[in-house]
Amino acid sequence: MSAAGTIAFVANRRQLDSLRRHGALGTHMTVASADLDVSFALEEADVPFIDLEQYLDARLQRACVEAASLCCNSVAATFNGRFVHMGCDIAGLMRMELYNSIKYALSAAAVVLAAIEKHRPARIVHFGEMQRATFSSANAPPDIFNAVVACCAEHCGIPASPVFLDQPHVPSGKSENPPTYESVVPGVSPSHGDNCSVLFVCPGSDYREDEQLHRAISGLDRPDWFLVLPAGGMSGLGHVCIDYLLGLPFASEDLSRRVESLRNGNGPGIPLGTSPAAGELKAGKCLSFVWREYAERLVRGAGWYSFGRFLAHAFAPELAVVGWDSPGHKRCMIQGLQDAGIQTLSIIHGGVPKDSFVYRSYCERTGGHVAVWSRYEAGQMALWRAKGYRTVPVGCLRTDIAQLAARSAGPEGRQPLRSAGPAKRPKVVLFTTLVSSLIDTTFGSSPLHRQSWRKILRMCQRHPEWDMVIKKHPRWDYDTLYESRAFRAVDNLRLSEAAPIDLLVDADVAVLVNNISTTAMESILAGVPVVFLREAVTCTARQPLVEDGGAQTAETVEELERQIERLLAEPAHREELLRRQRTFVHKHICATGAEAAQNVTRLIGELVDAGPSRAAARDARAWAVVQLILCVDVFKTGLFTYRQFRDAVKQAAHSLTEQALRAIGLSSGSDLGRHLLWVAADNYRARGNPTFQPWRVYRTRRVLPKHLRPSLGTSCGALVAGLHCEANKKPVGLLRRGICLLALATFAPARLSSRVRRFLQAASRCSF
């Protein structure tokens, strides 16, 4: 392009579509992007563009990774001693919380500066949304990219024009009810003894893994255990919802005041100089929102540290079993437990063994014992985690993996699962995920991945007799790409939302498209041979899936096509490949399902036996707070009468003076009472209870002693929440809905307008 042209830096498809709708894409403007969806769409439209990823070579990627790690350690050193909570350096524990944001900023600065240096535009267009520093998927708002472009334009002295999305990012609002646990293992309440031996705090990665552990717990020779779980149909004196404990009013006002400067964006400059063009470039005001987000994370980490200390005081276990411990707030909770003398065991949801920087970035210097899927993972994590702890392979707790393993071991597992008969069309499942982006650029190449997909589309057209199914990753994938016109034009290619276990029942071949996924193991256990297409893979690290026989590799799509044809035509070759792949699974995954859960319980017993002597007896004041929460929880499920509820609350609350609450890290009695009202207002556990929900909130407030009872003004929030949930119940009587709406008009008139239309619609459907 000429020096008089304009470059529009676009981070994702939403930004490109916004420019198109405004007619901003003209003959004197060239789009620059590193996003695969954007690049694919522009190629389809035959529009010239600048592929930013061409400037991000392997050397620069490694430099960004190392620079991000060094910056995190530098930030932790800068803040050392400034953000101390209950004697713990929160900034040190959460030093890797900025890692993804900084790595993203470094990668973006490198490619943007390279494009500016090569094309020398007269003007730069970038998007002006610069508020959010977090991202949980590839489709999250790319505010960091927007800010880096503005910073680079200022550094190079080029005029920059911010534009804004015509349709601002709005969360989907889609919420799923917490899963209901199929089995409830009756626990023994610590109230019957001085302590509990083992405390489980959300030990599984999901409720299925929790259930596997619940079933195995019954075999423990130490019956005095206690469960802290996500919301999900578990109630009683042996279980408590983690949200009800995390929501306790822990005292952290002092730390909140100390992070006020960070909330205002006054943090140290983030160096963006990983390329010669950057020089001494540092992100200033453009990236100030990163520090606002970091301040909130520090406050959250302090809350989780208090939560860990509270658990140690309330239960005084010999061992605390937790889930994945990589997030900073989880590390704070674990540190809180360990500072109170409690040893911890983290059960880490793993996957197909692989060499990756993820082990370092998530596990560096993290303490506590660890249970992982495979021996290879155990060796990798042991390199980076704190020394002096055990890293033990136990197997895979996932129930779907266990079901596939059982099926594979049976008679049907020794034969292909595809149906017999000439009417059966061969089915090929394409497992996909994010290959490369500025967020994570360490595995593959976007230009090569685009090339692979074009060749795959042509392969599908050459084989109309095959059923081709795309199974995308639930979070990290190219959603809009698979909905594009080029994909919809292929008749025998479809996108499926089904679970992998359902897709594999009648599949003939599974293909990993330029990335490695746990679905390789699921496919092998289902009796479906796996082919790993690595045409766009640039990662040079050792991949056990390939080198140890876990997948047949195809270097090009043409080779992939030949391998699929051979697997479909030669049963003997198919069975030989499956035999090698099953050997790989059994070598790397120690056990599955109930056997893996038994391995975990065996490890728990070993750690308890070999650990230090039992800690001091549980703090009666902290345990009384847990009992109050349990009383409210049981009352709203309808298992307590009002008199039983009143007596239980009176017995638990008599020792909770203001001084006692401050001694266990809580702010005040009225704050605790307000939290108990919110527990009463929570609707999920009370699904089977026909009691009017606001009435439960009112009666909960009524039974609280005066020193815990919040004022009417501060109680309105819980009452409104109860009314809101009651009005949303299905089915609900017209009279009850009318009472709720009338009360909402009294307590929260701002919420009424969104209810009136719904109320009138309900009335019109009712017959009197």
Side-chain angles (χ1 to χ4, degrees), residues 438-513:
L438 293 180
I439 298 175
D440 186 3
T441 57
T442 58
F443 196 82
S445 161
S446 277
L448 294 177
H449 192 56
R450 295 199 306 271
Q451 173 183 302
S452 294
W453 271 118
R454 295 192 183 281
K455 293 161 76 172
I456 289 173
L457 295 179
R458 291 195 292 269
M459 179 183 73
C460 294
Q461 293 171 337
R462 287 194 298 271
H463 293 277
E465 73 279 8
W466 295 352
D467 280 335
M468 309 292 291
V469 182
I470 296 175
K471 174 54 184 172
K472 68 181 183 68
H473 192 278
R475 289 179 62 196
W476 295 90
D477 216 320
Y478 307 102
D479 295 18
T480 56
L481 174 68
Y482 308 134
E483 300 290 345
S484 65
R485 182 175 55 187
F487 281 72
R488 294 198 306 268
V490 181
D491 294 333
N492 61 330
L493 178 66
R494 62 185 175 90
L495 181 65
S496 175
E497 298 292 337
I501 188 173
D502 298 324
L503 283 177
L504 292 167
V505 168
D506 60 345
D508 295 280
V509 180
V511 178
L512 305 179
V513 182

Side-chain angles (χ1 to χ4, degrees), residues 505-699:
V505 168
D506 60 345
D508 295 280
V509 180
V511 178
L512 305 179
V513 182
N514 289 325
N515 212 328
I516 289 176
S517 169
T518 308
T519 51
M521 183 173 62
E522 299 176 45
S523 303
I524 294 167
L525 291 174
V528 181
V530 178
V531 182
F532 174 33
L533 173 64
R534 48 180 299 140
E535 187 173 54
V537 174
T538 57
C539 178
T540 58
R542 181 176 184 269
Q543 299 296 336
L545 179 70
V546 175
E547 299 179 19
D548 296 349
Q552 183 81 30
T553 60
E555 300 297 330
T556 63
V557 173
E558 292 77 12
E559 185 180 350
L560 170 66
E561 183 176 2
R562 292 192 294 269
Q563 291 191 22
I564 294 175
E565 291 173 340
R566 186 181 179 191
L567 287 169
L568 295 176
E570 301 180 18
H573 171 65
R574 172 193 176 95
E575 289 305 307
E576 173 59 23
L577 178 58
L578 273 174
R579 184 192 63 78
R580 296 200 308 268
Q581 293 180 343
R582 288 192 183 110
T583 301
F584 165 82
V585 169
H586 295 311
K587 173 184 176 182
H588 284 281
I589 307 300
C590 306
T592 58
E595 184 182 358
Q598 290 296 333
N599 289 342
V600 173
T601 58
R602 189 180 304 113
L603 176 60
I604 288 172
E606 293 174 1
L607 293 174
V608 171
D609 291 339
S613 58
R614 181 184 286 273
R618 60 179 169 84
D619 191 315
R621 299 163 298 186
W623 173 242
V625 173
V626 176
Q627 284 183 310
L628 279 176
I629 292 174
L630 290 171
C631 289
V632 176
D633 194 21
V634 173
F635 172 62
K636 73 180 183 182
T637 61
L639 299 179
F640 267 1
T641 65
Y642 177 71
R643 177 172 294 180
Q644 290 173 323
F645 177 46
R646 181 191 61 194
D647 294 342
V649 169
K650 182 178 179 180
Q651 181 180 0
H654 77 278
S655 63
L656 294 178
T657 64
E658 290 291 334
Q659 184 178 0
L661 292 173
R662 286 193 294 270
I664 58 175
L666 300 185
S667 56
S668 67
S670 60
D671 288 342
L672 174 59
R674 186 163 60 250
H675 173 67
L676 293 173
L677 297 188
W678 281 100
V679 174
D682 180 56
N683 191 45
Y684 180 73
R685 292 287 194 96
R687 281 181 179 177
N689 186 3
T691 305
F692 189 52
Q693 194 161 343
W695 183 244
R696 292 199 307 268
V697 176
Y698 167 75
R699 302 193 97 181

Side-chain angles (χ1 to χ4, degrees), residues 734 758-768:
L734 181 61
R758 207 174 299 173
F759 173 73
L760 294 176
Q761 290 174 348
S764 66
R765 291 193 296 267
C766 292
S767 58
F768 295 90

